[in-house]
Amino acid sequence: GLTASTAYTFTVRARDAAGNLSAPSAAARATTPAPTPADHEPPTRPVKLRGTVDGSRAVNLSWGGSTDDVGVTSYDIYQEDSRIHSVPGTRTAAHLTGLRPGTVYTFTVRARDAADTSSPDSDAIDLTTTAAPGAPASTAPTDLRISNRVQGKEYAIDLDWKQPETGGEIPAYQLFIGGRLTTTIVWGATPPKGRANYRLTVTDPRGTRYSMKLRAKLPDGKWGDFSAQRTVVLGD
């Protein structure tokens, strides 16, 4: 309830049960900050997201800065749909640590302004950390592509990906949407070789956003590594 850009002097006195007051404390002086200008527009999307792998547990990211009608206060880095790191709005690079060896990560960046409004996501970038010595080859599907189109009153979402080399046939895949298992894809005949594809239909409205990734069931019955995550917006 104070006034902006105003100097104040504060003291504190103690009161006991009988109502007696102590002597005042030493004075503390403070000046309230200037008012924040009204911020009506979200920042623009960060551009040209780039990245390099730094060994088995870290990566470096950099991007082109965003603009805002008042100012960008921070950049938030997302791994899939989770915010994992933030840097001040004066920086357009980040060093991320604590990652796992031999793992594919999908990163995006959003700018944020003083009104706590975020920009749209930057383009995504996939980075795979260096595998630990002696670790087996990755079993993640790669080159996942997703598209969508209107089909009557529904949307058809088509997924297409390159299958991992596992030394045998892959009998099934698990599809995760928004981080949750949505369906298990089981081939009705002989499993495909090379690239595989799958279609699902949804009834959600135009503009609905889906984040998808999948993993293969390996010939030994275990589930393999996750693919990179891809995002699709219905109607785009």
Side-chain angles (χ1 to χ4, degrees):
L2 305 182
T3 303
S5 303
T6 303
Y8 289 90
T9 301
F10 300 96
T11 58
V12 177
R13 301 175 73 179
R15 183 191 301 270
D16 64 19
N20 301 307
L21 291 173
S22 71
S25 68
R29 294 175 174 82
T31 300
T32 53
T36 301
D39 195 334
H40 302 293
E41 300 292 333
T44 60
R45 180 197 311 268
V47 296
K48 298 181 179 178
L49 178 60
R50 298 187 177 115
T52 58
V53 173
D54 184 10
S56 61
R57 294 187 177 275
V59 299
N60 296 302
L61 299 177
S62 63
W63 57 89
S66 301
T67 60
D68 184 69
D69 57 338
V70 174
V72 174
T73 58
S74 64
Y75 290 97
D76 300 322
I77 295 93
Y78 285 75
Q79 196 280 307
E80 297 189 353
D81 292 319
S82 298
R83 187 172 72 184
I84 61 169
H85 191 67
S86 295
V87 296
T90 54
R91 291 177 53 189
T92 55
H95 180 66
L96 307 180
T97 61
L99 307 181
R100 290 179 294 167
T103 303
V104 59
Y105 289 93
T106 302
F107 298 104
T108 55
V109 176
R110 298 178 195 171
R112 187 152 43 96
D113 62 20
D116 210 28
T117 303
S118 293
S119 72
D121 289 345
S122 69
D123 289 337
I125 187 173
D126 299 330
L127 295 173
T128 303
T129 52
T130 304
S138 174
T139 57
T142 56
D143 194 25
L144 174 60
R145 305 169 186 171
I146 305 178
S147 61
N148 74 98
R149 62 184 180 85
V150 176
Q151 184 175 280
K153 295 183 178 181
E154 301 175 326
Y155 279 91
I157 301 177
D158 291 305
L159 296 89
D160 179 83
W161 65 92
K162 182 179 179 182
Q163 301 190 92
E165 296 291 338
T166 62
E169 291 184 340
I170 297 174
Y173 285 86
Q174 286 182 331
L175 174 62
F176 286 70
I177 300 179
R180 296 183 179 182
L181 176 61
T182 300
T183 188
T184 300
I185 304 167
V186 179
W187 311 117
T190 303
K193 298 183 182 299
R195 298 192 70 87
N197 57 77
Y198 178 72
R199 170 177 289 181
L200 72 154
T201 58
V202 295
T203 58
D204 291 313
R206 178 185 177 89
T208 301
R209 182 177 184 270
Y210 292 97
S211 298
M212 299 181 173
K213 61 183 178 180
L214 44 79
R215 62 180 179 178
K217 189 172 187 179
L218 307 180
D220 64 2
K222 294 184 178 180
W223 292 101
D225 300 322
F226 279 109
S227 71
Q229 180 170 278
R230 290 289 177 266
T231 298
V232 62
V233 179
L234 297 184
D236 285 2

